[in-house]
Amino acid sequence: MAEKEELLVKQVEDITETWVLGLLHHSLHAPVRLRRWSRVESSSRDTLAGFSSSRATIEVEYEVEGEATLKKETYVVKVIPTEGHMAGLLTSEGMHHVEVGQYGRFLRALGAWETEKLGAGVGVVAEIVPAHALALSTPHHFTLVLPEITNLGYQIHSVVEGLGEAQVVAVASKMGRFHGTTVSYKVLTGANLQTDFPKCFHQGNIDSPVFSVFARAGFERLREEWSRDASRRHLLDLLEPYEAIFAEFVIASLKPEEPFATALHGDLQPSNIFFKHDAQGQLTIKLIDWATARYSQGPIDLVYLLNIGVDPEVRRKVTLEAKEAYFEAFNASLADLKANMSYPRDLFEEQFARCRQMMVVWSVMCFNIFFSTPHLMDRLVGIISDVLLDPSISPPTLPPSAAHPTHSPST
């Protein structure tokens, strides 16, 4: 552990030649000779970039002792910023531990189990999770080193650009398979993900700044702006039930409902999803930024993808197809891994509807974050109004107790 802690990067300026050599030694477990290296602090077109972390890209050329070939690698180094309100939020919520734990413990264990069941390179975990070179966290800092995924032929979109219909369906299918794989792993191994992988899943807290600062400020802003807008004033009455119980409702809805509770990515925005066509022409993906990963209901990821990742007109066109792709992939994974259970359609639909209600709160929470981007503000308004005006979606209510009824698996 002491050797690892020496590799902790508190700011990108800490990345020196000595640090690069230490990273290579740690990753390769062999003596190396560094021939060349460079460091460039990353920039991004994405609206959210830099809110939660700082990044640098490093390129290295090196030789491994006993091998004649010159090797080249390009890494992205991610660290928590040393100051700012988001740095405090990440550490107070423990999100940096979650992200490092996902890469370092849970995802590695899940991937190894899936490989044992299906064969090397076959499963969804091997596809969507980039192999890390270092994952380390302490109380106030973390360092994560991943391959530069665009160098591997993948492409990325910004939040403002959004995703197209085919991309949304592809991600929905991959996440359905990933969620089904996680449930199969849990059922077949008897694992308790929350206790067996401590600090690997973000835990909701009713006193979190997410609710007390961001969401509350969002509701206040909406009341002020919509009360002056005749075309939206009628939405304020429909929004009142959400504002009355928003924190309690979200916390209750996030409580895992067994046996189909699964591991969520938690932040399927476009800038965290990399796309590439494989040799057969099929779309493959890689996912980064697992800092808000949760143990909860799988449709949360699906609904989040269908909202923050796309413009309203795309969402309205693709929702039914994406839902079917997700649901079929979830159950296909349960069948392929012989979990002897299936995800009930009625439960899926019930959870999907509740997740849409949660997206109202999430969208309100983001209003002040996206205030300088009119296009994203319009997207948030579209999310809120679509749910509020949907006659099939009732106002949110709290369950009789903190726990929702569990559902028995269908065989």
Side-chain angles (χ1 to χ4, degrees), residues 176-177 179-181 184 260 324-339 341-345 348 410:
R177 185 162 286 276
H179 292 160
T181 296
S184 299
F260 296 100
E324 286 307 304
Y326 174 89
F327 183 72
E328 290 176 5
F330 195 121
N331 277 318
S333 186
L334 294 175
D336 291 346
L337 292 164
K338 299 179 172 54
M341 62 195 304
S342 62
Y343 189 13
R345 168 68 75 171
F348 167 65
S410 301

Short mmCIF file of all heavy atoms in Angstrom, two decimals, residues 176-177 179-181 184 260 324-339 341-345 348 410:
data_model
loop_
_atom_site.label_atom_id
_atom_site.label_comp_id
_atom_site.label_asym_id
_atom_site.label_seq_id
_atom_site.Cartn_x
_atom_site.Cartn_y
_atom_site.Cartn_z
N GLY A 176 -28.55 -3.29 -20.27
CA GLY A 176 -29.42 -4.38 -19.86
C GLY A 176 -28.62 -5.65 -19.63
O GLY A 176 -28.83 -6.37 -18.65
N ARG A 177 -27.67 -5.93 -20.52
CA ARG A 177 -26.83 -7.12 -20.35
C ARG A 177 -25.93 -6.99 -19.13
O ARG A 177 -25.75 -7.93 -18.36
CB ARG A 177 -26.00 -7.37 -21.61
CG ARG A 177 -25.19 -8.65 -21.56
CD ARG A 177 -24.75 -9.10 -22.93
NE ARG A 177 -25.83 -9.66 -23.72
CZ ARG A 177 -26.22 -10.94 -23.62
NH1 ARG A 177 -25.64 -11.77 -22.77
NH2 ARG A 177 -27.20 -11.38 -24.37
N HIS A 179 -26.49 -5.18 -16.39
CA HIS A 179 -27.31 -5.30 -15.19
C HIS A 179 -27.73 -6.75 -14.95
O HIS A 179 -27.72 -7.24 -13.81
CB HIS A 179 -28.54 -4.40 -15.28
CG HIS A 179 -28.22 -2.95 -15.24
ND1 HIS A 179 -29.08 -1.97 -15.70
CD2 HIS A 179 -27.13 -2.29 -14.79
CE1 HIS A 179 -28.52 -0.78 -15.53
NE2 HIS A 179 -27.34 -0.95 -14.98
N GLY A 180 -28.10 -7.45 -16.02
CA GLY A 180 -28.46 -8.86 -15.87
C GLY A 180 -27.28 -9.71 -15.44
O GLY A 180 -27.42 -10.66 -14.65
N THR A 181 -26.09 -9.37 -15.94
CA THR A 181 -24.88 -10.09 -15.53
C THR A 181 -24.60 -9.89 -14.05
O THR A 181 -24.24 -10.82 -13.33
CB THR A 181 -23.68 -9.61 -16.36
OG1 THR A 181 -23.90 -9.95 -17.73
CG2 THR A 181 -22.38 -10.23 -15.89
N SER A 184 -27.01 -11.95 -12.04
CA SER A 184 -26.62 -13.36 -12.13
C SER A 184 -25.44 -13.65 -11.21
O SER A 184 -25.42 -14.66 -10.49
CB SER A 184 -26.26 -13.72 -13.57
OG SER A 184 -27.35 -13.53 -14.44
N PHE A 260 -33.79 -8.18 -7.99
CA PHE A 260 -33.28 -7.67 -9.26
C PHE A 260 -32.48 -6.38 -9.11
O PHE A 260 -32.12 -5.77 -10.13
CB PHE A 260 -34.44 -7.48 -10.24
CG PHE A 260 -35.12 -8.78 -10.59
CD1 PHE A 260 -36.31 -9.13 -9.96
CD2 PHE A 260 -34.55 -9.66 -11.48
CE1 PHE A 260 -36.93 -10.34 -10.25
CE2 PHE A 260 -35.16 -10.87 -11.77
CZ PHE A 260 -36.35 -11.21 -11.16
N GLU A 324 -37.27 -1.85 -24.94
CA GLU A 324 -37.29 -3.26 -25.33
C GLU A 324 -35.89 -3.83 -25.42
O GLU A 324 -35.64 -4.97 -25.01
CB GLU A 324 -38.02 -3.41 -26.67
CG GLU A 324 -39.53 -3.25 -26.57
CD GLU A 324 -40.14 -4.15 -25.52
OE1 GLU A 324 -39.93 -5.38 -25.59
OE2 GLU A 324 -40.82 -3.63 -24.61
N ALA A 325 -34.96 -3.05 -25.97
CA ALA A 325 -33.58 -3.53 -26.08
C ALA A 325 -32.99 -3.81 -24.71
O ALA A 325 -32.33 -4.83 -24.49
CB ALA A 325 -32.73 -2.49 -26.82
N TYR A 326 -33.26 -2.91 -23.76
CA TYR A 326 -32.76 -3.09 -22.40
C TYR A 326 -33.39 -4.32 -21.74
O TYR A 326 -32.68 -5.18 -21.18
CB TYR A 326 -33.06 -1.84 -21.57
CG TYR A 326 -32.71 -1.98 -20.11
CD1 TYR A 326 -31.45 -1.65 -19.64
CD2 TYR A 326 -33.65 -2.46 -19.18
CE1 TYR A 326 -31.11 -1.80 -18.31
CE2 TYR A 326 -33.33 -2.61 -17.85
CZ TYR A 326 -32.06 -2.28 -17.42
OH TYR A 326 -31.73 -2.44 -16.10
N PHE A 327 -34.71 -4.41 -21.80
CA PHE A 327 -35.42 -5.49 -21.12
C PHE A 327 -35.03 -6.85 -21.68
O PHE A 327 -34.78 -7.80 -20.93
CB PHE A 327 -36.92 -5.26 -21.27
CG PHE A 327 -37.79 -6.26 -20.55
CD1 PHE A 327 -37.89 -6.24 -19.17
CD2 PHE A 327 -38.50 -7.21 -21.27
CE1 PHE A 327 -38.69 -7.17 -18.50
CE2 PHE A 327 -39.30 -8.13 -20.61
CZ PHE A 327 -39.40 -8.12 -19.22
N GLU A 328 -34.96 -6.96 -22.99
CA GLU A 328 -34.58 -8.23 -23.62
C GLU A 328 -33.15 -8.61 -23.28
O GLU A 328 -32.84 -9.79 -23.02
CB GLU A 328 -34.76 -8.13 -25.13
CG GLU A 328 -36.22 -8.06 -25.57
CD GLU A 328 -36.37 -7.88 -27.06
OE1 GLU A 328 -35.33 -7.91 -27.77
OE2 GLU A 328 -37.52 -7.69 -27.53
N ALA A 329 -32.24 -7.64 -23.27
CA ALA A 329 -30.83 -7.94 -22.96
C ALA A 329 -30.66 -8.35 -21.51
O ALA A 329 -29.86 -9.24 -21.19
CB ALA A 329 -29.97 -6.72 -23.27
N PHE A 330 -31.40 -7.72 -20.61
CA PHE A 330 -31.35 -8.08 -19.18
C PHE A 330 -31.72 -9.55 -19.02
O PHE A 330 -30.99 -10.33 -18.38
CB PHE A 330 -32.31 -7.18 -18.41
CG PHE A 330 -32.13 -7.16 -16.92
CD1 PHE A 330 -31.86 -5.98 -16.26
CD2 PHE A 330 -32.27 -8.32 -16.16
CE1 PHE A 330 -31.72 -5.94 -14.87
CE2 PHE A 330 -32.14 -8.30 -14.77
CZ PHE A 330 -31.85 -7.11 -14.14
N ASN A 331 -32.85 -9.94 -19.59
CA ASN A 331 -33.30 -11.32 -19.44
C ASN A 331 -32.45 -12.31 -20.23
O ASN A 331 -32.26 -13.45 -19.81
CB ASN A 331 -34.77 -11.44 -19.85
CG ASN A 331 -35.70 -11.04 -18.72
OD1 ASN A 331 -35.48 -11.39 -17.56
ND2 ASN A 331 -36.73 -10.27 -19.03
N ALA A 332 -31.88 -11.87 -21.37
CA ALA A 332 -30.98 -12.74 -22.12
C ALA A 332 -29.74 -13.05 -21.30
O ALA A 332 -29.23 -14.18 -21.32
CB ALA A 332 -30.59 -12.09 -23.44
N SER A 333 -29.25 -12.08 -20.58
CA SER A 333 -28.08 -12.29 -19.74
C SER A 333 -28.39 -13.26 -18.60
O SER A 333 -27.60 -14.16 -18.30
CB SER A 333 -27.60 -10.95 -19.17
OG SER A 333 -26.40 -11.09 -18.48
N LEU A 334 -29.56 -13.10 -17.98
CA LEU A 334 -29.96 -14.05 -16.93
C LEU A 334 -30.04 -15.47 -17.48
O LEU A 334 -29.63 -16.43 -16.81
CB LEU A 334 -31.33 -13.64 -16.36
CG LEU A 334 -31.41 -12.32 -15.58
CD1 LEU A 334 -32.86 -12.03 -15.21
CD2 LEU A 334 -30.54 -12.35 -14.34
N ALA A 335 -30.55 -15.60 -18.71
CA ALA A 335 -30.67 -16.93 -19.32
C ALA A 335 -29.31 -17.50 -19.69
O ALA A 335 -29.01 -18.67 -19.41
CB ALA A 335 -31.57 -16.86 -20.55
N ASP A 336 -28.46 -16.69 -20.32
CA ASP A 336 -27.15 -17.17 -20.76
C ASP A 336 -26.28 -17.61 -19.59
O ASP A 336 -25.49 -18.56 -19.71
CB ASP A 336 -26.43 -16.06 -21.54
CG ASP A 336 -27.08 -15.77 -22.88
OD1 ASP A 336 -27.92 -16.59 -23.32
OD2 ASP A 336 -26.77 -14.72 -23.47
N LEU A 337 -26.43 -16.93 -18.46
CA LEU A 337 -25.61 -17.25 -17.30
C LEU A 337 -26.31 -18.24 -16.35
O LEU A 337 -25.79 -18.53 -15.29
CB LEU A 337 -25.26 -15.96 -16.55
CG LEU A 337 -24.30 -15.04 -17.32
CD1 LEU A 337 -24.29 -13.64 -16.73
CD2 LEU A 337 -22.90 -15.62 -17.36
N LYS A 338 -27.48 -18.72 -16.78
CA LYS A 338 -28.22 -19.76 -16.06
C LYS A 338 -28.55 -19.36 -14.63
O LYS A 338 -28.33 -20.10 -13.67
CB LYS A 338 -27.43 -21.08 -16.08
CG LYS A 338 -27.22 -21.60 -17.51
CD LYS A 338 -26.42 -22.89 -17.52
CE LYS A 338 -26.38 -23.50 -18.92
NZ LYS A 338 -25.90 -22.58 -19.97
N ALA A 339 -29.09 -18.15 -14.51
CA ALA A 339 -29.49 -17.66 -13.20
C ALA A 339 -30.83 -18.22 -12.75
O ALA A 339 -31.24 -18.03 -11.61
CB ALA A 339 -29.56 -16.13 -13.20
N MET A 341 -33.95 -17.39 -13.44
CA MET A 341 -34.91 -16.36 -13.07
C MET A 341 -35.08 -15.43 -14.25
O MET A 341 -34.28 -15.43 -15.19
CB MET A 341 -34.44 -15.59 -11.83
CG MET A 341 -33.12 -14.85 -12.07
SD MET A 341 -32.30 -14.28 -10.55
CE MET A 341 -33.56 -13.30 -9.78
N SER A 342 -36.15 -14.64 -14.23
CA SER A 342 -36.35 -13.64 -15.26
C SER A 342 -36.93 -12.38 -14.63
O SER A 342 -37.66 -12.44 -13.64
CB SER A 342 -37.26 -14.16 -16.37
OG SER A 342 -38.55 -14.47 -15.88
N TYR A 343 -36.61 -11.27 -15.22
CA TYR A 343 -37.03 -9.95 -14.76
C TYR A 343 -38.49 -9.75 -15.19
O TYR A 343 -38.79 -9.69 -16.38
CB TYR A 343 -36.12 -8.92 -15.40
CG TYR A 343 -36.21 -7.50 -14.92
CD1 TYR A 343 -36.89 -7.13 -13.75
CD2 TYR A 343 -35.58 -6.49 -15.64
CE1 TYR A 343 -36.93 -5.83 -13.33
CE2 TYR A 343 -35.61 -5.17 -15.24
CZ TYR A 343 -36.30 -4.84 -14.09
OH TYR A 343 -36.35 -3.52 -13.68
N PRO A 344 -39.43 -9.63 -14.25
CA PRO A 344 -40.85 -9.51 -14.62
C PRO A 344 -41.15 -8.21 -15.35
O PRO A 344 -40.67 -7.15 -14.95
CB PRO A 344 -41.57 -9.56 -13.27
CG PRO A 344 -40.59 -10.14 -12.31
CD PRO A 344 -39.25 -9.71 -12.79
N ARG A 345 -41.95 -8.29 -16.38
CA ARG A 345 -42.31 -7.11 -17.15
C ARG A 345 -43.01 -6.07 -16.29
O ARG A 345 -42.72 -4.86 -16.40
CB ARG A 345 -43.21 -7.52 -18.32
CG ARG A 345 -43.90 -6.38 -19.03
CD ARG A 345 -42.94 -5.50 -19.80
NE ARG A 345 -42.48 -6.13 -21.02
CZ ARG A 345 -41.77 -5.49 -21.96
NH1 ARG A 345 -41.45 -4.23 -21.79
NH2 ARG A 345 -41.37 -6.13 -23.04
N PHE A 348 -40.53 -4.20 -14.16
CA PHE A 348 -39.73 -3.30 -15.00
C PHE A 348 -40.51 -2.03 -15.33
O PHE A 348 -39.98 -0.91 -15.21
CB PHE A 348 -39.32 -4.03 -16.28
CG PHE A 348 -38.76 -3.14 -17.35
CD1 PHE A 348 -37.57 -2.45 -17.15
CD2 PHE A 348 -39.42 -2.97 -18.56
CE1 PHE A 348 -37.05 -1.62 -18.14
CE2 PHE A 348 -38.91 -2.15 -19.55
CZ PHE A 348 -37.73 -1.47 -19.34
N SER A 410 -39.43 -14.66 -11.40
CA SER A 410 -40.24 -15.53 -12.25
C SER A 410 -39.35 -16.59 -12.82
O SER A 410 -38.26 -16.32 -13.30
CB SER A 410 -40.86 -14.69 -13.39
OG SER A 410 -41.65 -13.66 -12.85
#
